């Protein structure tokens, strides 16, 4: 435990600072401060000494150097029960500093700005702040270190209740929080620079070491099942994403809701025309584009109205009254996520108290570079599947060529297929899914599922496969259901037999040489 006699305060975020500093002053604590922090405290009538006066050395290099001085770090790092340390600081006229209050330049917020320049980002890399925090935290038995304004009230309460003394427990907890904060800060800097200079690494596109940093946004009621505890964390290096969700109404989000919302956002961002997607258990059960949003939703819902019950709906346009009415008419749904909702739409949804309405600016979400999958004892890292099919990559392999409308349906379905769990087969007509077969261990079973869901609508449809067709059997089943065109990866050792069967059944087939497995 320590008696706080001198505190150094230098903060970027000044939330609650004046009241905290006044509380320290009442305890008789001497305050040292810098720049804007000193100006704020002085304007509030708080007596202090500027760091430049304390060190006898002026701030320089546009403020880059102000606290990097032996009188600061000597006063923080000196071990109080080490006679040699005390002798040395006395010899050099260094006073002890018992508390450091520092929060860092807002690097994470800075890099979230659109088109942020490298120069602006670099200027928001704090040097003196992390140095003081680390020095104080290293010497936590003798120095209180505060990097979070949420700690001000509890620290003041402790000081007031214990005659200006802080307990070992408080000192330890504060130091632990500091090392967590500086670690997260450095991780954000590394991630930004690594991403900004991607492609310049001549050795590998993957880092040798991965330091992930996430901040808890909220505890969740439970995980995938009620017996599993859960929480939602924000990626410190992310510039946008689900952490920016604005909830307008409804119950709190669950673990499964967030997973399905993520799937909805990933899919809906693929489409430019008004589009709707309905997600169930992290898979789409209906997707469609149309001239208007309400028509897109109705078409998506028609794909599999049974599975759609209790689903997550995603839109790429602001929801209007007609679309809201269509959603309400379709029955119970968990969530609706869209870039916005008109006042009329909100009024229509308002009686549905448990329906969660969520707003997210889809245009602000930057493409992610990596995809992570946790395994026992490790982590798998891969590039995100952001591959877009180019017209030049489409190869017609059958005697019958696809029509213009069939080709458009293929392109629509190919945008979707990479978001469907493998093995994946999707039946499409125009810009509407008719049947989706997902997550089967056999491609034939996926085709059977998709055809069964499509029913009579399979007649004249286009089949999309996320990988090559290993045998002609999928073509045979598709032909029997009335499928007239197929787009698939190609590259099977039995390609010739598969193409021969397509020709025999008068089905147009194209290949892409691109696979879209999703496990």
């Amino acid at each position: 435990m320590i008696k706080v006699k001198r505190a150094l305060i230098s903060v970027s975020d000044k939330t609650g600072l004046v009241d905290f500093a006044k509380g320290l002053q009442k305890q008789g604590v001497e305050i040292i401060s810098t720049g804007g922090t000193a100006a704020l405290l002085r304007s509030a009538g708080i007596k202090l000494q500027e760091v430049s006066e304390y060190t006898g050395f002026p701030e320089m290099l546009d403020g880059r150097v102000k606290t990097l001085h032996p009188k600061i770090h000597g006063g923080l790092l000196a071990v109080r029960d080490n006679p040699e340390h005390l002798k040395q600081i006395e010899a050099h006229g260094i006073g002890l500093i018992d508390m450091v209050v520092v929060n860092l330049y807002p690097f994470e917020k800075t890099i979230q700005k659109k088109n942020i320049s490298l120069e602006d980002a670099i200027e928001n890399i704090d040097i003196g702040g992390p140095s003081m925090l680390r020095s104080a935290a290293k010497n936590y038995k003798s120095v209180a270190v505060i990097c979070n304004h949420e700690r001000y009230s509890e620290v003041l309460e402790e000081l007031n209740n214990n005659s200006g003394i802080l307990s070992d427990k408080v000192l330890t907890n504060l130091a632990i929080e500091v090392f967590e904060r500086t670690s997260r800060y450095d991780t954000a800097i590394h991630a930004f620079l690594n991403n900004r200079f991607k492609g310049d690494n001549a050795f590998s596109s993957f880092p040798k070491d991965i330091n992930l940093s996430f901040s808890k946004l909220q505890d969740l009621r439970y995980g995938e099942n009620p017996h599993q505890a859960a929480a939602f964390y924000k990626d410190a290096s992310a510039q946008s994403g689900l952490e920016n969700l604005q909830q307008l109404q409804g119950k709190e989000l669950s673990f499964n809701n967030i997973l399905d919302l993520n799937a909805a956002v990933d899919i809906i961002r693929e489409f430019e025309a008004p589009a709707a997607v309905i997600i169930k258990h992290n898979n789409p059960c209906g997707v469609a584009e149309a001239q208007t949003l309400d028509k897109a939703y109705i078409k998506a819902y028609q794909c599999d109205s049974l599975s759609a019950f209790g689903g997550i709906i995603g839109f790429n346009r602001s929801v209007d009254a007609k679309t809201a009415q269509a959603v309400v008419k379709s029955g119970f749904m968990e969530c609706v996520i869209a870039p916005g909702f008109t006042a009329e739409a909100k009024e229509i949804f308002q009686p549905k108290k448990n329906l969660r309405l969520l707003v997210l600016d889809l245009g602000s979400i930057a493409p992610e570079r990596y995809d992570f999958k946790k395994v026992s004892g490790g982590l798998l890292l891969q590039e995100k599947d952001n591959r877009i099919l180019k017209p030049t990559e489409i190869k017609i392999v059958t005697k019958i060529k696809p029509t213009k409308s069939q080709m458009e349906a293929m392109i629509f379905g190919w945008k979707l297929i990479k978001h469907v769990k493998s093995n994946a087969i999707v039946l499409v007509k125009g810009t509407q899914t008719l049947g989706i077969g997902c997550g089967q261990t056999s491609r034939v079973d996926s085709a059977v599922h998709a055809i069964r869901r499509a029913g009579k609508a399979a007649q004249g449809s286009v089949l999309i496969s996320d990988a090559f067709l290993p045998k002609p059997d999928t073509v045979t089943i598709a032909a029997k259901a009335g499928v007239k065109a197929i787009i698939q990866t190609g590259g099977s050792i039995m390609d010739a037999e598969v193409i021969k069967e397509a020709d025999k059944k008068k089905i147009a087939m194209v290949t892409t040489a691109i696979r879209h497995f999703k496990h």
Side-chain angles (χ1 to χ4, degrees):
M1 59 181 63
I2 62 166
K3 172 81 172 179
V4 179
K5 298 177 182 178
R6 179 182 289 128
L8 192 158
I9 304 176
S10 179
V11 296
S12 176
D13 180 355
K14 298 173 176 59
T15 303
L17 182 66
V18 170
D19 288 341
F20 181 65
K22 286 181 177 179
L24 293 180
Q25 195 170 54
K26 285 181 181 179
Q27 289 287 336
V29 176
E30 176 189 341
I31 295 175
I32 307 168
S33 191
T34 63
T37 304
L40 174 68
L41 296 181
R42 275 205 176 110
S43 69
I46 297 169
K47 294 182 180 180
L48 57 86
Q49 183 179 24
E50 292 240 20
V51 162
S52 56
E53 299 174 48
Y54 182 77
T55 61
F57 204 89
E59 291 186 16
M60 60 186 297
L61 306 180
D62 297 320
R64 285 189 171 198
V65 178
K66 48 191 171 186
T67 58
L68 298 171
H69 193 280
K71 287 196 74 172
I72 300 297
H73 289 274
L76 295 175
L77 286 165
V79 177
R80 289 357 185 213
D81 59 2
N82 184 320
E84 188 59 33
H85 281 200
L86 298 180
K87 182 179 178 182
Q88 289 179 36
I89 66 168
E90 184 180 359
H92 294 285
I94 297 174
L96 297 174
I97 300 173
D98 311 301
M99 176 182 285
V100 166
V101 183
V102 168
N103 54 53
L104 309 177
Y105 293 170
F107 181 83
E108 295 99 329
K109 287 184 179 179
T110 299
I111 61 174
Q112 288 176 10
K113 297 177 183 176
K114 288 185 177 180
N115 304 316
I116 182 68
S117 69
L118 181 62
E119 290 74 17
D120 285 344
I122 287 176
E123 282 307 309
N124 277 276
I125 297 176
D126 203 329
I127 302 300
S131 298
M132 287 188 289
L133 289 177
R134 291 176 65 86
S135 290
K138 178 174 180 176
N139 202 20
Y140 70 92
K141 292 182 179 180
S142 302
V143 182
V145 55
I146 304 170
C147 64
N148 182 356
H149 65 79
E150 293 180 1
R151 302 287 168 259
Y152 291 167
S153 59
E154 58 190 89
V155 170
L156 276 183
E157 184 178 1
E158 176 98 357
L159 290 171
N160 291 333
N161 292 339
N162 295 289
S163 303
I165 294 174
L166 292 177
S167 68
D168 290 341
K169 181 179 180 181
V170 169
L171 296 173
T172 301
N173 289 338
L174 291 173
I176 291 171
E177 186 172 28
V178 160
F179 284 118
E180 185 277 330
R181 176 69 185 107
T182 56
S183 172
R184 189 170 75 245
Y185 194 73
D186 287 340
T187 296
I189 295 169
H190 168 261
F192 172 80
L193 294 177
N194 187 57
N195 186 61
R196 179 60 64 99
F197 293 113
K198 64 184 178 183
D200 293 346
N201 187 339
F203 301 103
S204 172
S205 61
F206 296 100
K208 180 181 178 182
D209 298 297
I210 302 173
N211 297 303
L212 303 179
S213 179
F214 294 83
S215 302
K216 188 166 76 172
L217 289 180
Q218 65 186 95
D219 288 310
L220 302 173
R221 286 184 297 164
Y222 50 78
E224 287 181 294
N225 299 291
H227 60 272
Q228 295 171 267
F232 181 29
Y233 286 76
K234 176 191 181 300
D235 185 347
S237 65
Q239 297 183 27
S240 59
L242 294 188
E243 76 279 3
N244 293 323
L245 281 174
Q246 179 187 358
Q247 186 166 351
L248 303 182
Q249 73 168 52
K251 298 185 295 185
E252 64 179 308
L253 292 173
S254 71
F255 184 94
N256 292 333
N257 289 158
I258 295 171
L259 282 176
D260 287 340
L261 286 166
N262 189 67
V265 169
D266 278 349
I267 292 174
I268 208 66
R269 290 172 61 227
E270 295 281 355
F271 303 103
E272 295 179 5
V277 59
I278 303 172
I279 298 292
K280 195 69 175 292
H281 293 190
N282 227 225
N283 267 308
C285 53
V287 184
E289 279 184 313
Q291 290 183 334
T292 61
L293 201 64
D294 61 305
K295 290 180 179 178
Y297 174 72
I298 291 169
K299 287 183 175 183
Y301 181 74
Q302 288 171 344
C303 177
D304 189 355
S305 59
L306 180 64
S307 296
F309 179 84
I312 304 291
I313 304 168
F315 293 108
N316 65 350
R317 297 285 194 284
S318 184
V319 176
D320 56 17
K322 289 185 72 174
T323 306
Q325 288 169 345
V327 171
V328 170
K329 186 178 178 181
S330 60
F332 172 67
M333 294 292 179
E334 289 275 2
C335 305
V336 180
I337 184 170
F341 296 83
T342 65
E344 293 83 358
K346 292 177 187 177
E347 188 175 343
I348 291 168
F349 283 129
Q350 197 274 334
K352 300 286 184 179
K353 300 295 184 183
N354 291 331
L355 176 65
R356 305 163 178 90
L357 297 187
L358 301 134
V359 174
L360 182 65
D361 180 4
L362 301 177
S364 70
I365 301 176
E368 293 184 314
R369 185 180 182 189
Y370 295 124
D371 181 35
F372 301 87
K373 294 187 185 297
K374 182 72 177 72
V375 296
S376 180
L379 187 75
L380 293 174
L381 175 64
Q382 66 176 349
E383 291 181 337
K384 189 87 172 176
D385 187 0
N386 294 321
R387 186 72 146 81
I388 297 173
L389 179 65
K390 301 174 184 175
T392 55
E393 294 173 317
I394 299 174
K395 181 180 179 183
I396 300 171
V397 295
T398 49
K399 296 174 183 177
I400 298 177
K401 296 182 179 180
T403 65
K404 182 181 178 181
S405 62
Q406 287 172 341
M407 189 65 75
E408 289 172 351
M410 288 179 180
I411 299 300
F412 169 79
W414 197 256
K415 290 179 180 178
L416 168 64
I417 199 71
K418 67 184 177 184
H419 300 286
V420 183
K421 294 290 179 67
S422 299
N423 289 310
I425 296 288
V426 176
L427 296 188
V428 169
K429 193 176 288 183
T431 55
Q432 176 186 13
T433 57
L434 305 172
I436 301 174
C438 54
Q440 304 301 311
T441 52
S442 161
R443 191 158 300 277
V444 171
D445 284 343
S446 290
V448 169
H449 278 252
I451 291 166
R452 187 179 74 243
R453 286 182 172 129
K456 293 180 180 180
Q459 188 70 39
S461 66
V462 173
L463 182 148
I464 297 92
S465 174
D466 67 345
F468 65 59
L469 302 180
K471 294 181 180 181
D473 44 13
T474 301
V475 180
T476 304
I477 293 168
K480 188 176 179 179
V483 171
K484 295 301 180 183
I486 294 174
I487 180 170
Q488 54 120 343
T489 302
S492 165
I493 60 173
M494 295 192 70
D495 265 0
E497 294 299 315
V498 171
I499 296 167
K500 181 179 178 181
E501 179 68 3
D503 281 329
K504 180 181 175 182
K505 302 298 184 183
K506 293 182 170 50
I507 292 177
M509 179 180 287
V510 306
T511 60
T512 63
I514 300 170
R515 190 180 75 181
H516 280 308
F517 272 169
K518 184 180 182 184
H519 285 71

